[in-house]
């Protein structure tokens, strides 16, 4: 049986959330797009949105004091509004801003909710399961351009070294920095190649994170950990915090990926969020 797929404009999504009483979430969506408007202007925008939902059959009845929403769509809206745990993917490197969030339900028996926003204007909703996410995330980040190398290669930086390289106000040449750092000679060439790609991209990185928050939090917290990704014509890189263990210092691990190594990294993040699934 095909899963239901709903496509909404940002205005329709905002109106539907406001109808449920989630006005704060609706405002968080619409105000960055429209700014501060008069009450009359907001009324015109939301009236047009309600007519759009009616024409799509997502509002099945609308009266002055009551709005009835299509049952499956209503379940998805409630799932979105009530979920306290999500995996969030962000990409702005392929000429489109895309945000994919997969929301865990409050009931352990719930399936996961898939929400994709494209340039914040188009919102897609459907149901999803963990065994679908590896392929979904792989395509999300790589698109049609998949500049992978045959064998992955990597190097590590201390957090202090990473902070220096990521600081836009740092004007010290990379060669000067490397000469003062305790970095294996065999990593110098790879570090230089990564840094040149990082600079050429305008320091534009995509990211993948897991976000969990408690029921008494009104704002979504910053993730404890995020996987950063750099997509260039010369290679596909990831940047992650390698947590300290056995008393050793935490470090920043930078990998230039093969197709297989990137998929493996995605699977590891998926398994942090959901119960591990079998992988071929």
């Amino acid at each position: 049986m095909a899963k239901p797929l709903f496509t909404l404009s940002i205005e329709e999504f905002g109106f539907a959330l406001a109808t449920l009483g989630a006005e704060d979430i609706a405002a968080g969506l619409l105000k960055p797009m429209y700014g501060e408007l008069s009450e009359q202007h907001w009324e015109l925008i939301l009236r047009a949105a309600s007519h759009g939902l009616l024409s799509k059959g997502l509002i099945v009845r609308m009266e002055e004091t009551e709005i009835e929403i299509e049952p499956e769509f209503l379940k998805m809206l409630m799932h979105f509004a009530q979920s306290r745990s999500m995996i969030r993917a962000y990409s702005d490197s392929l000429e489109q801003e895309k945000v994919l969030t997969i929301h865990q339900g409050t009931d352990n028996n719930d399936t996961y909710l898939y929400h994709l926003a494209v340039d914040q204007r188009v919102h897609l909703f459907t149901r999803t399961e963990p065994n679908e996410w590896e392929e979904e995330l792989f395509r999300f980040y790589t698109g049609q351009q998949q500049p992978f190398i045959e064998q992955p290669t990597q190097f590590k930086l201390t957090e202090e070294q990473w902070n220096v390289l990521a600081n836009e106000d740092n004007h010290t040449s990379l060669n000067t920095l490397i000469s003062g750092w305790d970095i294996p000679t065999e990593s110098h060439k790879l570090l230089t190649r990564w840094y040149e790609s990082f600079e050429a991209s305008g320091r534009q990185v995509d990211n993948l994170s897991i976000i969990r928050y408690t029921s008494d939090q009104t704002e979504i917290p910053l993730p404890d950990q995020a996987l950063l990704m750099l997509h260039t014509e010369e290679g596909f890189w990831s940047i992650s915090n390698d947590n300290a263990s056995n008393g050793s210092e935490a470090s920043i691990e930078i990998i230039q990926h093969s197709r297989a190594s990137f998929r493996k990294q995605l699977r590891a993040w998926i398994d942090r969020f959901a119960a591990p699934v079998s992988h071929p």
Side-chain angles (χ1 to χ4, degrees):
M1 183 177 177
K3 292 182 290 189
L5 173 66
F6 300 115
T7 304
L8 309 177
S9 69
I10 189 171
E11 295 84 2
E12 290 166 347
F13 185 25
F15 179 86
L17 286 169
T19 299
L20 292 185
E23 291 92 347
D24 53 339
I25 303 177
L29 283 169
L30 294 172
K31 283 193 174 181
M33 182 73 67
Y34 285 100
E36 295 296 332
L37 297 178
S38 68
E39 186 175 338
Q40 183 179 15
H41 278 101
W42 279 122
E43 186 178 341
L44 290 172
I45 290 168
L46 295 177
R47 185 185 302 164
S50 68
H51 292 164
L53 291 169
L54 274 167
S55 68
K56 293 175 180 179
L58 300 181
I59 290 179
V60 296
R61 184 170 58 87
M62 186 166 66
E63 300 175 357
E64 286 190 11
T65 58
E66 187 176 354
I67 296 175
E68 183 180 347
I69 297 175
E70 192 276 333
E72 183 59 26
F73 179 49
L74 177 60
K75 288 180 185 177
M76 289 190 184
L77 288 173
M78 295 295 293
H79 189 145
F80 180 89
Q82 295 174 356
S83 175
R84 317 307 283 178
S85 181
M86 74 181 80
I87 189 166
R88 181 183 187 274
Y90 175 86
S91 175
D92 194 23
S93 62
L94 297 172
E95 300 180 354
Q96 260 186 341
E97 183 186 41
K98 299 183 297 181
V99 183
L100 169 62
T101 50
I102 296 172
H103 298 260
Q104 190 171 30
T106 53
D107 185 328
N108 290 334
N109 294 321
D110 278 352
T111 55
Y112 293 88
L113 177 67
Y114 173 107
H115 169 224
L116 175 65
V118 180
D119 291 330
Q120 286 302 319
R121 293 189 173 276
V122 178
H123 293 257
L124 305 176
F125 290 90
T126 189
R127 298 291 184 185
T128 186
E129 296 294 342
N131 60 8
E132 301 171 322
W133 301 348
E134 179 190 331
E135 187 61 33
E136 187 70 38
L137 289 170
F138 183 83
R139 288 188 284 109
F140 179 89
Y141 287 114
T142 63
Q144 300 301 313
Q145 303 171 20
Q146 300 181 9
F148 293 106
I149 57 176
E150 289 298 317
Q151 294 295 328
T153 185
Q154 66 189 64
F155 63 94
K156 291 188 178 183
L157 300 172
T158 66
E159 289 188 288
E160 181 180 357
Q161 290 165 348
W162 164 255
N163 289 335
V164 170
L165 292 179
N167 184 353
E168 294 184 8
D169 295 327
N170 169 51
H171 300 295
T172 308
S173 73
L174 181 62
N175 287 336
T176 301
L177 290 172
I178 290 177
S179 66
W181 288 347
D182 183 19
I183 294 177
T185 304
E186 60 270 20
S187 295
H188 288 191
K189 188 174 181 180
L190 184 62
L191 169 54
T192 300
R193 190 161 71 245
W194 168 77
Y195 189 69
E196 288 174 349
S197 295
F198 183 54
E199 289 284 281
S201 73
R203 298 166 172 258
Q204 178 65 53
V205 292
D206 297 337
N207 63 72
L208 177 68
S209 57
I210 295 171
I211 300 172
R212 304 184 195 276
Y213 56 115
T214 60
S215 57
D216 58 349
Q217 287 177 291
T218 56
E219 295 184 1
I220 296 177
L222 292 173
D224 293 333
Q225 206 172 14
L227 176 67
L228 306 181
M229 282 157 281
L230 177 64
H231 190 296
T232 74
E233 293 181 359
E234 292 75 31
F236 194 94
W237 307 78
S238 72
I239 305 146
S240 59
N241 190 323
D242 182 22
N243 286 331
S245 59
N246 300 323
S248 61
E249 283 189 26
S251 60
I252 305 300
E253 183 178 64
I254 300 178
I255 304 173
Q256 185 174 16
H257 280 289
S258 67
R259 182 177 282 100
S261 69
F262 182 50
R263 285 185 174 276
K264 180 179 179 182
Q265 193 170 54
L266 289 176
R267 289 197 297 268
W269 276 73
I270 289 166
D271 289 346
R272 291 182 192 182
F273 177 67
V277 297
S278 59
H279 303 292

